[in-house]
Amino acid sequence: MVLRDGVVAGRCQWEPYVPGDLALVYSVSKTVTATAVGLAVAEGRFALDDRVADLVGGAPDGSPLDDRVASITVHHLLSMSTGHTADTLEAMQARPAAEWVPAFLAQRPQEPVGSVHVYHNGASFLLGELIRRHTGQDLLDYLRPRLLEPLGIEATWDTDALGRCLGWTGLHLSIDGLAALGELLRCDGVWHGRRLLPEGWVARATARHVDTTDPHPDWGLGYGYQVWMGREGYRLDGAYGQFAFVLPARGLVVAIRSAQSCTQLLVDLVWEHLVVPDLPDGPAGATARVAVPPDTGRGTA
């Protein structure tokens, strides 16, 4: 689905899938979790420079925390710059769900906090936990009246063993919902004249806060607050090709849901065919439906 200046310039889907399907968008969930944090900060629930350990009550047994762990702030969680060089989630999930927060606090960052980026699902979980602890609501309940309902977005969110929305993944959206999130960010958090996101939040969230390194070029351009920097603009980004490319200077949003692993190739194709040449003029809202060929039993290339 492609939006140009907020108008549907084109959309295409492959049968038997239909536009209203709510599909898992994987780590696009992270951007939505970060958006909840921005709303909570604006409401005075906590601040970006608050220390995470203070916000979750420190170690359960009251013991002193490692100095690096104690210095991690909300900003560091958002920018995935906690100083860890590997995701903390694996060690967290080795323990019961009720112990995930102390399991995070038990992992000393290998590098100084704020110095390096690592793709960090554990950090995104902690952001969701801050919402739960400081608003009294889980992510989906908190976001419905503030964000999802005003945007007309229907959504579901997978949960852990305690029924908590998974802040790092689990969100299910339609293609229209994914595009609407991108368009809201393109418009600085204003939707049809109504401000939904705090003034200044989008600029801060979509700024490059930390360098990134990756063998795939489009993942080496830096990271904001749970968004990836792009060749231009930025993108919401989930595994297996779930994207919302946001290019404010071009007035363009390109939303894609897919199920494939060649994500760098997909990004290259978006730039080659949709962004660089720009879209040809055509009827607004043009729609195409393409049937998926039946399985021949010969496998896929």
Side-chain angles (χ1 to χ4, degrees):
M1 183 173 182
V2 181
L3 303 179
R4 181 192 284 154
D5 296 324
V7 177
V8 178
R11 61 188 301 157
C12 183
Q13 58 273 343
W14 280 258
E15 295 178 349
Y17 305 103
V18 297
D21 285 341
L22 299 184
L24 178 61
V25 292
Y26 294 91
S27 287
V28 170
S29 311
K30 293 180 170 68
T31 310
V32 179
T33 298
T35 301
V37 170
L39 291 165
V41 167
E43 293 174 356
R45 313 280 186 159
F46 48 82
L48 292 174
D49 58 358
D50 282 349
R51 300 193 310 173
V52 173
D54 295 336
L55 294 175
V56 298
D61 61 1
S63 61
L65 290 174
D66 176 87
D67 59 339
R68 286 186 178 176
V69 172
S71 68
I72 297 171
T73 66
V74 178
H75 163 82
H76 295 128
L77 294 182
L78 285 164
S79 56
M80 295 190 179
S81 60
T82 60
H84 296 93
T85 56
D87 193 351
T88 60
L89 186 66
E90 183 176 356
M92 292 162 61
Q93 290 186 313
R95 297 169 64 172
E99 300 177 13
W100 285 0
V101 171
F104 175 91
L105 297 176
Q107 298 182 64
R108 173 178 168 82
Q110 292 79 12
E111 300 292 337
V113 174
S115 66
V116 297
H117 173 270
V118 68
Y119 199 62
H120 195 173
N121 293 302
S124 303
F125 169 78
L126 260 291
L127 292 172
E129 189 65 11
L130 295 182
I131 294 297
R132 285 183 283 272
R133 295 195 182 199
H134 292 273
T135 71
Q137 295 179 291
D138 207 350
L139 284 163
L140 202 53
D141 292 333
Y142 180 72
L143 286 168
R144 275 198 181 104
R146 294 168 173 83
L147 181 73
L148 301 177
E149 290 175 357
L151 292 176
I153 292 178
E154 181 183 356
T156 63
W157 209 314
D158 296 336
T159 59
D160 65 13
L162 299 181
R164 302 174 296 188
C165 294
L166 303 174
W168 73 91
T169 189
L171 183 64
H172 294 246
L173 296 172
S174 69
I175 190 66
D176 298 77
L178 181 55
L181 289 171
E183 179 67 7
L184 178 67
L185 296 179
R186 186 188 74 82
C187 295
D188 190 35
V190 176
W191 186 255
H192 296 266
R194 175 185 173 188
R195 175 161 291 283
L196 298 182
L197 303 182
E199 188 171 359
W201 173 256
V202 173
R204 181 156 192 163
T206 61
R208 177 174 174 159
H209 290 289
V210 62
D211 294 339
T212 57
T213 57
D214 194 278
H216 301 93
D218 279 271
W219 281 262
L221 301 174
Y223 200 71
Y225 280 175
Q226 313 279 294
V227 296
W228 290 92
M229 300 297 98
R231 305 177 199 184
E232 295 178 30
Y234 47 89
R235 71 181 182 276
L236 292 68
D237 186 320
Y240 307 110
Q242 326 309 318
F243 294 119
F245 297 84
V246 183
L247 292 89
R250 297 176 186 259
L252 196 65
V253 172
V254 180
I256 298 173
R257 296 186 326 185
S258 60
Q260 48 77 42
S261 57
C262 300
T263 48
Q264 181 61 65
L265 175 59
L266 176 55
V267 173
D268 291 340
L269 291 170
V270 168
W271 282 91
E272 179 181 355
H273 294 285
L274 294 179
V275 176
V276 174
D278 207 351
L279 290 171
D281 291 333
T287 299
R289 289 190 61 78
V290 182
V292 177
D295 185 359
T296 62
R298 294 178 294 179
T300 57

